[in-house]
Amino acid sequence: MSFVLAIDQGTTSSRAIVFRSDISIAAVAQQEFPQHFPASGWVEHEPEDIWTSTVMTCRDALEKAGLGPADIAAIGITNQRETTVVWDRATGQAVHRAIVWQDRRTADICARLKAEGHEPDVSAKTGLIIDPYFSGTKVAWILDHVPGARERAERGELLFGTVDCYLLWRLTGGRVHATDATNASRTLLFNIHTGQWDETLLKLLRVPRSMLPEVKDSSADFGTTTPDLFGGPIKVAGIAGDQQAATIGQACFTPGMMKSTYGTGCFALLNTGATPVKSNNKLLTTIAYQLNGVRTYALEGSIFVAGSAVQWLRDGLGIIKHAAETGPLADKSDSMQSVYLVPAFVGLGAPYWNPRVRGALFGLTRNTGPAELAHATLESVCYQTYDLWAAMRADWPDASAATIVLRVDGGMTASDWTMQRLADLLDAPVDRPMIQETTALGAAYLAGLNAGVYPEPEKFADNWRLEHRFRPAMSAATRQRKLAGWARAVKGVLASDEGE
């Protein structure tokens, strides 16, 4: 039993990857599922679609690898965080579609809680801000808007879980209702200092305690699958939210190590060790992972627009046909022009957290063309990463340029141009790993650690392999000039905020 099956349940697709004991990949299967947008700012998934696509991809991956249940030491689960499911304890039937992390329908609830002065206490306990992004207000919305749901919840008939928890419940035939500390830390209901669900927060959001799952280590015994699913029982032994799983997959086990994942948006996590660091720069304090009852914390920053800015060049402007064209095109840009794109298409994320502002281009001339726009678009991702980097270093007293190591993953890291510019603007090395499937690898590692397939974190970190290190090559004067221009552009966009 030297194989581990990783379930990577994402926002637009479910994937299953079989890893060998040397962390090489034996098989991959992927299946997209429908997105539902019932109203402006609302995003939903059908829980049954999440479940069936997960089971199908697991079966496909096992078949491709030529393996049966007896060959799999354990299953690890990583998931889209904050997405919320409420289901019937007896039947397993969801009472409403899953409300996705991107959904903004609870903005009014959040505004009311802030106006009532609750945010300081909520932030002190959870490390989060009060925002529709997190699960707590989504649960409250379901209980208030599904007829009879609140009464059923009060009677103990309904269960709540993030996607990992829902999948675990289904995989184990309803025997196990549990989650891990990383997912619990994203709910607005969990005290990240005590490691417990918080009674005051439950009361504030009117969520009955009986709905909540047991919170375990990220690497733990989560039960076994029912034999009918894969032809025999398989142990489930690891769970982590997707960004935390990527942090583990990147072997960022030492305080000061930072990973940045570039997908549609960008998520950066900085390992701060055993101490939760309170942010003064609108970053989130979160649990990176919990092993053997010990919590390791991280600072997290989210950028809303990264890869989607390249999609805008392709689909919105028609400047490129394929994302891979962007780097070579940017290389041809006029070095005398200083064009800045602030891609606030859906507002600005950390460290600004302003959902009302919109994007803008600065520094346009008559000679500005596709090459300059491609240049500005790729640079915008690097500048936004710099803002997170600077905020993290300001928040964490132990940080210095010498101690922070940045490891990158995700689709955009294939662009050498972008990664080189990132190293230039950060004035720090940027490391791209051999294995890009870092999220799934993190889930596999947690399961394999529990099952004895993979070693302790220090030894596992030795398996991390560098594909390329990008070293800064830009002069200090150029860097400072460019960063000052970016700061002015962001200031201009923030000044355009006229409120709602």
Side-chain angles (χ1 to χ4, degrees), residues 352-491:
Y352 306 104
W353 284 108
N354 189 324
R356 295 181 301 273
V357 296
R358 291 296 173 259
L361 276 161
F362 294 86
L364 300 179
T365 72
R366 282 287 299 274
N367 287 331
T368 301
E372 287 71 36
L373 292 180
H375 186 287
T377 299
L378 294 181
E379 268 196 338
S380 73
V381 177
C382 303
Y383 286 129
Q384 290 179 100
T385 307
Y386 173 84
D387 287 344
L388 293 183
W389 168 272
M392 285 175 173
R393 289 176 63 190
D395 277 338
W396 193 45
D398 296 351
S400 70
T403 60
I404 295 183
V405 175
L406 178 62
R407 291 181 170 176
V408 295
D409 55 84
M412 283 195 85
T413 61
S415 167
D416 286 0
W417 192 97
T418 311
M419 294 302 99
Q420 181 57 51
R421 187 49 52 99
L422 182 59
D424 288 341
L425 291 172
L426 297 181
D427 193 24
V430 169
D431 288 355
R432 185 170 64 193
M434 293 287 281
I435 292 185
Q436 282 287 304
E437 299 289 355
T438 54
T439 305
L441 177 58
Y445 171 68
L446 291 169
L449 174 65
N450 178 272
V453 176
Y454 299 129
E456 292 302 308
E458 299 73 28
K459 287 252 176 30
F460 178 71
D462 295 340
N463 289 322
W464 187 90
R465 292 286 175 268
L466 178 71
E467 185 266 334
H468 190 82
R469 168 167 281 183
F470 296 88
R471 299 178 186 279
M474 185 180 279
S475 73
T478 303
R479 181 183 308 111
Q480 284 160 10
R481 175 177 59 77
K482 292 175 83 65
L483 290 171
W486 166 255
R488 284 193 300 273
V490 171
K491 199 172 177 183

Side-chain angles (χ1 to χ4, degrees), residues 39-277:
S40 177
W42 292 27
V43 190
E44 295 179 351
H45 293 156
E46 195 59 67
E48 208 59 36
D49 290 340
I50 291 174
W51 167 244
T52 53
S53 61
T54 298
V55 173
M56 292 301 291
T57 52
C58 287
R59 288 174 178 166
D60 286 355
L62 290 172
E63 192 178 331
K64 283 181 183 175
L67 301 172
D71 302 307
I72 305 297
I75 291 174
I77 302 172
T78 183
N79 54 292
Q80 45 164 322
R81 302 175 305 173
E82 297 95 19
T83 295
T84 299
V85 191
V86 174
W87 68 95
D88 185 294
R89 184 191 291 271
T91 66
Q93 193 68 39
V95 302
H96 191 275
R97 279 183 184 151
I99 300 181
V100 180
W101 60 273
Q102 298 158 316
D103 190 284
R104 306 298 295 174
R105 78 185 65 188
T106 62
D108 289 350
I109 300 175
C110 293
R112 177 177 56 75
L113 292 170
K114 284 182 177 183
E116 290 171 359
H118 294 295
E119 189 160 58
D121 184 48
V122 171
S123 291
K125 288 177 172 177
T126 66
L128 310 176
I129 58 173
I130 293 180
D131 190 86
Y133 180 26
F134 306 108
S135 313
T137 57
K138 301 181 199 295
V139 189
W141 189 95
I142 290 172
L143 295 182
D144 286 337
H145 289 81
V146 173
R150 184 162 288 287
E151 293 73 20
R152 292 171 67 194
E154 299 286 0
R155 289 198 299 267
E157 296 171 15
L158 300 185
L159 299 177
F160 150 70
T162 41
V163 169
D164 61 295
C165 178
Y166 173 70
L167 288 177
L168 178 66
W169 197 85
R170 295 288 298 260
L171 286 165
T172 60
R175 293 194 310 274
V176 182
H177 184 221
T179 188
D180 91 300
T182 69
N183 279 293
S185 75
R186 312 297 293 189
T187 58
L188 279 181
L189 303 170
F190 188 75
N191 188 315
I192 63 171
H193 309 283
T194 64
Q196 304 290 326
W197 297 115
D198 190 276
E199 293 300 334
T200 309
L201 297 176
L202 292 175
K203 207 166 286 180
L204 179 65
L205 289 168
R206 297 173 64 228
V207 175
R209 178 70 181 78
S210 60
M211 296 181 75
L212 300 177
E214 179 189 354
V215 181
K216 297 187 171 220
D217 283 352
S218 306
S219 178
D221 184 357
F222 288 97
T224 55
T225 65
T226 56
D228 58 306
L229 287 173
F230 308 120
I234 305 175
K235 179 163 99 158
V236 183
I239 292 178
D242 54 9
Q243 300 310 321
Q244 284 93 339
T247 305
I248 294 160
Q250 287 278 36
C252 291
F253 295 121
T254 309
M257 295 184 75
M258 176 179 169
K259 77 90 201 176
S260 196
T261 300
Y262 296 91
T264 303
C266 162
F267 294 87
L269 268 78
L270 171 70
N271 182 329
T272 63
T275 311
V277 175

